[in-house]
PDB file of all heavy atoms in Angstrom:
ATOM      1  N   MET A   1       0.848  -1.178   0.016  1.00 53.00           N
ATOM      2  CA  MET A   1       0.011   0.000   0.002  1.00 53.00           C
ATOM      3  C   MET A   1       0.879   1.227   0.023  1.00 53.00           C
ATOM      4  O   MET A   1       1.819   1.334   0.775  1.00 53.00           O
ATOM      5  CB  MET A   1      -0.908  -0.003   1.255  1.00 53.00           C
ATOM      6  CG  MET A   1      -1.777   1.142   1.391  1.00 53.00           C
ATOM      7  SD  MET A   1      -2.817   1.242   2.829  1.00 53.00           S
ATOM      8  CE  MET A   1      -3.450  -0.409   2.963  1.00 53.00           C
ATOM      9  N   ARG A   3       1.684   5.284   0.494  1.00 60.00           N
ATOM     10  CA  ARG A   3       1.433   6.244   1.573  1.00 60.00           C
ATOM     11  C   ARG A   3       0.111   7.019   1.365  1.00 60.00           C
ATOM     12  O   ARG A   3      -0.688   7.143   2.281  1.00 60.00           O
ATOM     13  CB  ARG A   3       2.600   7.219   1.733  1.00 60.00           C
ATOM     14  CG  ARG A   3       2.408   8.216   2.806  1.00 60.00           C
ATOM     15  CD  ARG A   3       2.584   7.556   4.159  1.00 60.00           C
ATOM     16  NE  ARG A   3       2.442   8.593   5.166  1.00 60.00           N
ATOM     17  CZ  ARG A   3       1.783   8.431   6.253  1.00 60.00           C
ATOM     18  NH1 ARG A   3       1.191   7.264   6.515  1.00 60.00           N
ATOM     19  NH2 ARG A   3       1.656   9.368   7.101  1.00 60.00           N
ATOM     20  N   ASP A   5      -2.460   6.119  -0.182  1.00 84.00           N
ATOM     21  CA  ASP A   5      -3.591   5.209  -0.074  1.00 84.00           C
ATOM     22  C   ASP A   5      -4.238   5.294   1.327  1.00 84.00           C
ATOM     23  O   ASP A   5      -5.453   5.130   1.462  1.00 84.00           O
ATOM     24  CB  ASP A   5      -3.225   3.750  -0.336  1.00 84.00           C
ATOM     25  CG  ASP A   5      -2.922   3.474  -1.828  1.00 84.00           C
ATOM     26  OD1 ASP A   5      -3.223   4.346  -2.656  1.00 84.00           O
ATOM     27  OD2 ASP A   5      -2.347   2.456  -2.097  1.00 84.00           O
ATOM     28  N   ASP A   6      -3.451   5.516   2.346  1.00 87.00           N
ATOM     29  CA  ASP A   6      -3.977   5.602   3.723  1.00 87.00           C
ATOM     30  C   ASP A   6      -5.035   6.697   3.807  1.00 87.00           C
ATOM     31  O   ASP A   6      -6.096   6.481   4.410  1.00 87.00           O
ATOM     32  CB  ASP A   6      -2.867   5.922   4.727  1.00 87.00           C
ATOM     33  CG  ASP A   6      -1.838   4.791   4.852  1.00 87.00           C
ATOM     34  OD1 ASP A   6      -2.143   3.635   4.417  1.00 87.00           O
ATOM     35  OD2 ASP A   6      -0.781   5.069   5.409  1.00 87.00           O
ATOM     36  N   TRP A   8      -6.902   7.971   1.347  1.00 89.00           N
ATOM     37  CA  TRP A   8      -8.088   7.626   0.583  1.00 89.00           C
ATOM     38  C   TRP A   8      -8.907   6.496   1.234  1.00 89.00           C
ATOM     39  O   TRP A   8     -10.119   6.496   1.141  1.00 89.00           O
ATOM     40  CB  TRP A   8      -7.730   7.317  -0.859  1.00 89.00           C
ATOM     41  CG  TRP A   8      -7.362   8.553  -1.562  1.00 89.00           C
ATOM     42  CD1 TRP A   8      -6.088   8.944  -1.952  1.00 89.00           C
ATOM     43  CD2 TRP A   8      -8.228   9.668  -1.875  1.00 89.00           C
ATOM     44  NE1 TRP A   8      -6.158  10.209  -2.505  1.00 89.00           N
ATOM     45  CE2 TRP A   8      -7.459  10.657  -2.508  1.00 89.00           C
ATOM     46  CE3 TRP A   8      -9.588   9.881  -1.721  1.00 89.00           C
ATOM     47  CZ2 TRP A   8      -7.966  11.846  -2.919  1.00 89.00           C
ATOM     48  CZ3 TRP A   8     -10.111  11.073  -2.135  1.00 89.00           C
ATOM     49  CH2 TRP A   8      -9.336  12.045  -2.751  1.00 89.00           C
ATOM     50  N   ILE A   9      -8.233   5.572   1.852  1.00 88.00           N
ATOM     51  CA  ILE A   9      -8.938   4.553   2.621  1.00 88.00           C
ATOM     52  C   ILE A   9      -9.707   5.175   3.770  1.00 88.00           C
ATOM     53  O   ILE A   9     -10.859   4.843   3.987  1.00 88.00           O
ATOM     54  CB  ILE A   9      -7.972   3.479   3.130  1.00 88.00           C
ATOM     55  CG1 ILE A   9      -7.455   2.629   1.958  1.00 88.00           C
ATOM     56  CG2 ILE A   9      -8.622   2.565   4.162  1.00 88.00           C
ATOM     57  CD1 ILE A   9      -6.335   1.688   2.306  1.00 88.00           C
ATOM     58  N   MET A  13     -13.732   5.113   4.162  1.00 91.00           N
ATOM     59  CA  MET A  13     -14.330   4.535   5.350  1.00 91.00           C
ATOM     60  C   MET A  13     -15.260   5.555   6.022  1.00 91.00           C
ATOM     61  O   MET A  13     -16.317   5.198   6.508  1.00 91.00           O
ATOM     62  CB  MET A  13     -13.263   4.023   6.303  1.00 91.00           C
ATOM     63  CG  MET A  13     -12.555   2.778   5.754  1.00 91.00           C
ATOM     64  SD  MET A  13     -11.195   2.253   6.754  1.00 91.00           S
ATOM     65  CE  MET A  13     -12.027   1.549   8.172  1.00 91.00           C
ATOM     66  N   PHE A  14     -14.849   6.817   6.037  1.00 94.00           N
ATOM     67  CA  PHE A  14     -15.655   7.842   6.644  1.00 94.00           C
ATOM     68  C   PHE A  14     -17.042   7.931   5.911  1.00 94.00           C
ATOM     69  O   PHE A  14     -18.117   7.998   6.542  1.00 94.00           O
ATOM     70  CB  PHE A  14     -14.989   9.233   6.635  1.00 94.00           C
ATOM     71  CG  PHE A  14     -15.928  10.322   7.017  1.00 94.00           C
ATOM     72  CD1 PHE A  14     -16.246  10.573   8.351  1.00 94.00           C
ATOM     73  CD2 PHE A  14     -16.491  11.129   6.045  1.00 94.00           C
ATOM     74  CE1 PHE A  14     -17.141  11.580   8.690  1.00 94.00           C
ATOM     75  CE2 PHE A  14     -17.365  12.157   6.340  1.00 94.00           C
ATOM     76  CZ  PHE A  14     -17.675  12.380   7.681  1.00 94.00           C
ATOM     77  N   ALA A  20     -23.948   4.669   5.907  1.00 93.00           N
ATOM     78  CA  ALA A  20     -24.637   3.660   6.732  1.00 93.00           C
ATOM     79  C   ALA A  20     -25.563   4.339   7.767  1.00 93.00           C
ATOM     80  O   ALA A  20     -26.649   3.846   7.973  1.00 93.00           O
ATOM     81  CB  ALA A  20     -23.634   2.757   7.433  1.00 93.00           C
ATOM     82  N   CYS A  21     -25.120   5.412   8.327  1.00 92.00           N
ATOM     83  CA  CYS A  21     -25.955   6.173   9.231  1.00 92.00           C
ATOM     84  C   CYS A  21     -27.186   6.726   8.523  1.00 92.00           C
ATOM     85  O   CYS A  21     -28.309   6.640   9.060  1.00 92.00           O
ATOM     86  CB  CYS A  21     -25.192   7.306   9.876  1.00 92.00           C
ATOM     87  SG  CYS A  21     -23.912   6.702  11.043  1.00 92.00           S
ATOM     88  N   ASP A  22     -26.982   7.272   7.358  1.00 93.00           N
ATOM     89  CA  ASP A  22     -28.115   7.774   6.527  1.00 93.00           C
ATOM     90  C   ASP A  22     -29.098   6.673   6.231  1.00 93.00           C
ATOM     91  O   ASP A  22     -30.300   6.821   6.331  1.00 93.00           O
ATOM     92  CB  ASP A  22     -27.654   8.410   5.257  1.00 93.00           C
ATOM     93  CG  ASP A  22     -26.918   9.732   5.469  1.00 93.00           C
ATOM     94  OD1 ASP A  22     -27.012  10.309   6.559  1.00 93.00           O
ATOM     95  OD2 ASP A  22     -26.248  10.193   4.507  1.00 93.00           O
ATOM     96  N   GLU A  23     -28.541   5.521   5.859  1.00 91.00           N
ATOM     97  CA  GLU A  23     -29.392   4.357   5.532  1.00 91.00           C
ATOM     98  C   GLU A  23     -30.219   3.940   6.746  1.00 91.00           C
ATOM     99  O   GLU A  23     -31.395   3.589   6.647  1.00 91.00           O
ATOM    100  CB  GLU A  23     -28.498   3.175   5.039  1.00 91.00           C
ATOM    101  CG  GLU A  23     -29.245   1.888   4.863  1.00 91.00           C
ATOM    102  CD  GLU A  23     -30.312   1.905   3.759  1.00 91.00           C
ATOM    103  OE1 GLU A  23     -30.252   2.770   2.873  1.00 91.00           O
ATOM    104  OE2 GLU A  23     -31.173   1.009   3.786  1.00 91.00           O
ATOM    105  N   GLY A  27     -33.429   4.713   5.399  1.00 90.00           N
ATOM    106  CA  GLY A  27     -33.508   3.576   4.503  1.00 90.00           C
ATOM    107  C   GLY A  27     -34.202   2.406   5.184  1.00 90.00           C
ATOM    108  O   GLY A  27     -34.978   2.531   6.112  1.00 90.00           O
ATOM    109  N   GLU A  28     -33.867   1.238   4.662  1.00 90.00           N
ATOM    110  CA  GLU A  28     -34.497  -0.021   5.149  1.00 90.00           C
ATOM    111  C   GLU A  28     -33.674  -0.772   6.146  1.00 90.00           C
ATOM    112  O   GLU A  28     -34.153  -1.745   6.729  1.00 90.00           O
ATOM    113  CB  GLU A  28     -34.809  -0.892   3.941  1.00 90.00           C
ATOM    114  CG  GLU A  28     -35.803  -0.236   2.982  1.00 90.00           C
ATOM    115  CD  GLU A  28     -36.099  -1.167   1.806  1.00 90.00           C
ATOM    116  OE1 GLU A  28     -35.810  -2.381   1.828  1.00 90.00           O
ATOM    117  OE2 GLU A  28     -36.644  -0.605   0.817  1.00 90.00           O
ATOM    118  N   ALA A  31     -31.200   0.396  12.462  1.00 92.00           N
ATOM    119  CA  ALA A  31     -30.026   1.003  13.105  1.00 92.00           C
ATOM    120  C   ALA A  31     -29.209  -0.036  13.884  1.00 92.00           C
ATOM    121  O   ALA A  31     -27.957   0.072  13.941  1.00 92.00           O
ATOM    122  CB  ALA A  31     -30.470   2.127  13.996  1.00 92.00           C
ATOM    123  N   PRO A  35     -23.679  -1.156  13.198  1.00 93.00           N
ATOM    124  CA  PRO A  35     -22.320  -1.415  13.714  1.00 93.00           C
ATOM    125  C   PRO A  35     -21.704  -2.697  13.202  1.00 93.00           C
ATOM    126  O   PRO A  35     -20.527  -2.719  12.762  1.00 93.00           O
ATOM    127  CB  PRO A  35     -22.533  -1.446  15.239  1.00 93.00           C
ATOM    128  CG  PRO A  35     -23.758  -0.663  15.456  1.00 93.00           C
ATOM    129  CD  PRO A  35     -24.628  -0.904  14.286  1.00 93.00           C
ATOM    130  N   LEU A  38     -20.839  -2.412   9.427  1.00 92.00           N
ATOM    131  CA  LEU A  38     -19.633  -1.562   9.211  1.00 92.00           C
ATOM    132  C   LEU A  38     -18.381  -2.278   9.683  1.00 92.00           C
ATOM    133  O   LEU A  38     -17.358  -2.229   8.996  1.00 92.00           O
ATOM    134  CB  LEU A  38     -19.782  -0.207   9.933  1.00 92.00           C
ATOM    135  CG  LEU A  38     -20.707   0.765   9.270  1.00 92.00           C
ATOM    136  CD1 LEU A  38     -20.845   2.021  10.149  1.00 92.00           C
ATOM    137  CD2 LEU A  38     -20.206   1.170   7.840  1.00 92.00           C
ATOM    138  N   SER A  40     -17.758  -5.441   9.814  1.00 93.00           N
ATOM    139  CA  SER A  40     -17.399  -6.492   8.836  1.00 93.00           C
ATOM    140  C   SER A  40     -16.830  -5.874   7.571  1.00 93.00           C
ATOM    141  O   SER A  40     -15.818  -6.337   7.028  1.00 93.00           O
ATOM    142  CB  SER A  40     -18.639  -7.306   8.528  1.00 93.00           C
ATOM    143  OG  SER A  40     -18.421  -8.248   7.504  1.00 93.00           O
ATOM    144  N   LEU A  41     -17.465  -4.821   7.099  1.00 90.00           N
ATOM    145  CA  LEU A  41     -17.002  -4.133   5.862  1.00 90.00           C
ATOM    146  C   LEU A  41     -15.602  -3.558   6.040  1.00 90.00           C
ATOM    147  O   LEU A  41     -14.722  -3.762   5.232  1.00 90.00           O
ATOM    148  CB  LEU A  41     -17.971  -3.039   5.515  1.00 90.00           C
ATOM    149  CG  LEU A  41     -17.550  -2.130   4.330  1.00 90.00           C
ATOM    150  CD1 LEU A  41     -17.529  -2.963   3.009  1.00 90.00           C
ATOM    151  CD2 LEU A  41     -18.470  -0.948   4.185  1.00 90.00           C
ATOM    152  N   PHE A  42     -15.363  -2.879   7.163  1.00 91.00           N
ATOM    153  CA  PHE A  42     -14.061  -2.265   7.412  1.00 91.00           C
ATOM    154  C   PHE A  42     -12.956  -3.295   7.534  1.00 91.00           C
ATOM    155  O   PHE A  42     -11.829  -3.084   7.055  1.00 91.00           O
ATOM    156  CB  PHE A  42     -14.101  -1.376   8.632  1.00 91.00           C
ATOM    157  CG  PHE A  42     -14.907  -0.072   8.428  1.00 91.00           C
ATOM    158  CD1 PHE A  42     -15.179   0.727   9.474  1.00 91.00           C
ATOM    159  CD2 PHE A  42     -15.370   0.281   7.185  1.00 91.00           C
ATOM    160  CE1 PHE A  42     -15.919   1.894   9.332  1.00 91.00           C
ATOM    161  CE2 PHE A  42     -16.116   1.456   7.005  1.00 91.00           C
ATOM    162  CZ  PHE A  42     -16.369   2.269   8.069  1.00 91.00           C
ATOM    163  N   LEU A  43     -13.244  -4.436   8.164  1.00 92.00           N
ATOM    164  CA  LEU A  43     -12.228  -5.483   8.223  1.00 92.00           C
ATOM    165  C   LEU A  43     -11.839  -5.985   6.842  1.00 92.00           C
ATOM    166  O   LEU A  43     -10.685  -6.203   6.525  1.00 92.00           O
ATOM    167  CB  LEU A  43     -12.741  -6.659   9.073  1.00 92.00           C
ATOM    168  CG  LEU A  43     -12.830  -6.429  10.569  1.00 92.00           C
ATOM    169  CD1 LEU A  43     -13.354  -7.657  11.278  1.00 92.00           C
ATOM    170  CD2 LEU A  43     -11.494  -5.996  11.167  1.00 92.00           C
ATOM    171  N   ARG A  44     -12.859  -6.133   5.980  1.00 90.00           N
ATOM    172  CA  ARG A  44     -12.576  -6.567   4.593  1.00 90.00           C
ATOM    173  C   ARG A  44     -11.779  -5.520   3.852  1.00 90.00           C
ATOM    174  O   ARG A  44     -10.833  -5.849   3.094  1.00 90.00           O
ATOM    175  CB  ARG A  44     -13.842  -6.881   3.858  1.00 90.00           C
ATOM    176  CG  ARG A  44     -14.481  -8.179   4.363  1.00 90.00           C
ATOM    177  CD  ARG A  44     -15.705  -8.513   3.548  1.00 90.00           C
ATOM    178  NE  ARG A  44     -16.680  -7.451   3.810  1.00 90.00           N
ATOM    179  CZ  ARG A  44     -17.943  -7.475   3.532  1.00 90.00           C
ATOM    180  NH1 ARG A  44     -18.473  -8.537   2.991  1.00 90.00           N
ATOM    181  NH2 ARG A  44     -18.727  -6.473   3.798  1.00 90.00           N
ATOM    182  N   LEU A  46      -9.753  -3.388   5.024  1.00 85.00           N
ATOM    183  CA  LEU A  46      -8.335  -3.344   5.586  1.00 85.00           C
ATOM    184  C   LEU A  46      -7.635  -4.684   5.447  1.00 85.00           C
ATOM    185  O   LEU A  46      -6.489  -4.843   5.823  1.00 85.00           O
ATOM    186  CB  LEU A  46      -8.389  -2.915   7.054  1.00 85.00           C
ATOM    187  CG  LEU A  46      -8.933  -1.504   7.301  1.00 85.00           C
ATOM    188  CD1 LEU A  46      -9.114  -1.297   8.767  1.00 85.00           C
ATOM    189  CD2 LEU A  46      -7.989  -0.476   6.662  1.00 85.00           C
ATOM    190  N   VAL A  48      -8.177  -7.500   7.014  1.00 89.00           N
ATOM    191  CA  VAL A  48      -7.927  -8.071   8.337  1.00 89.00           C
ATOM    192  C   VAL A  48      -8.738  -9.362   8.468  1.00 89.00           C
ATOM    193  O   VAL A  48      -9.934  -9.382   8.167  1.00 89.00           O
ATOM    194  CB  VAL A  48      -8.351  -7.073   9.462  1.00 89.00           C
ATOM    195  CG1 VAL A  48      -8.253  -7.741  10.818  1.00 89.00           C
ATOM    196  CG2 VAL A  48      -7.513  -5.827   9.355  1.00 89.00           C
ATOM    197  N   ARG A  49      -8.052 -10.422   8.879  1.00 85.00           N
ATOM    198  CA  ARG A  49      -8.710 -11.715   9.064  1.00 85.00           C
ATOM    199  C   ARG A  49      -8.927 -11.927  10.547  1.00 85.00           C
ATOM    200  O   ARG A  49      -7.996 -11.733  11.341  1.00 85.00           O
ATOM    201  CB  ARG A  49      -7.886 -12.865   8.516  1.00 85.00           C
ATOM    202  CG  ARG A  49      -7.419 -12.654   7.111  1.00 85.00           C
ATOM    203  CD  ARG A  49      -8.486 -13.127   6.192  1.00 85.00           C
ATOM    204  NE  ARG A  49      -7.987 -13.040   4.789  1.00 85.00           N
ATOM    205  CZ  ARG A  49      -8.598 -12.390   3.809  1.00 85.00           C
ATOM    206  NH1 ARG A  49      -9.731 -11.779   4.063  1.00 85.00           N
ATOM    207  NH2 ARG A  49      -8.123 -12.352   2.620  1.00 85.00           N
ATOM    208  N   GLU A  50     -10.129 -12.383  10.910  1.00 74.00           N
ATOM    209  CA  GLU A  50     -10.368 -12.608  12.337  1.00 74.00           C
ATOM    210  C   GLU A  50     -10.039 -14.084  12.648  1.00 74.00           C
ATOM    211  O   GLU A  50     -10.130 -14.969  11.912  1.00 74.00           O
ATOM    212  CB  GLU A  50     -11.865 -12.360  12.664  1.00 74.00           C
ATOM    213  CG  GLU A  50     -12.158 -10.894  12.681  1.00 74.00           C
ATOM    214  CD  GLU A  50     -13.529 -10.650  13.200  1.00 74.00           C
ATOM    215  OE1 GLU A  50     -14.527 -10.845  12.485  1.00 74.00           O
ATOM    216  OE2 GLU A  50     -13.592 -10.269  14.378  1.00 74.00           O
TER     217      GLU A  50
END
Side-chain angles (χ1 to χ4, degrees):
M1 179 183 314
R3 180 75 179 136
D5 289 347
D6 294 344
W8 288 109
I9 290 171
M13 289 174 73
F14 169 78
C21 291
D22 290 346
E23 173 65 19
E28 297 181 16
L38 284 175
S40 176
L41 175 66
F42 289 171
L43 288 179
R44 286 183 298 194
L46 298 171
V48 173
R49 307 277 185 234
E50 288 190 282

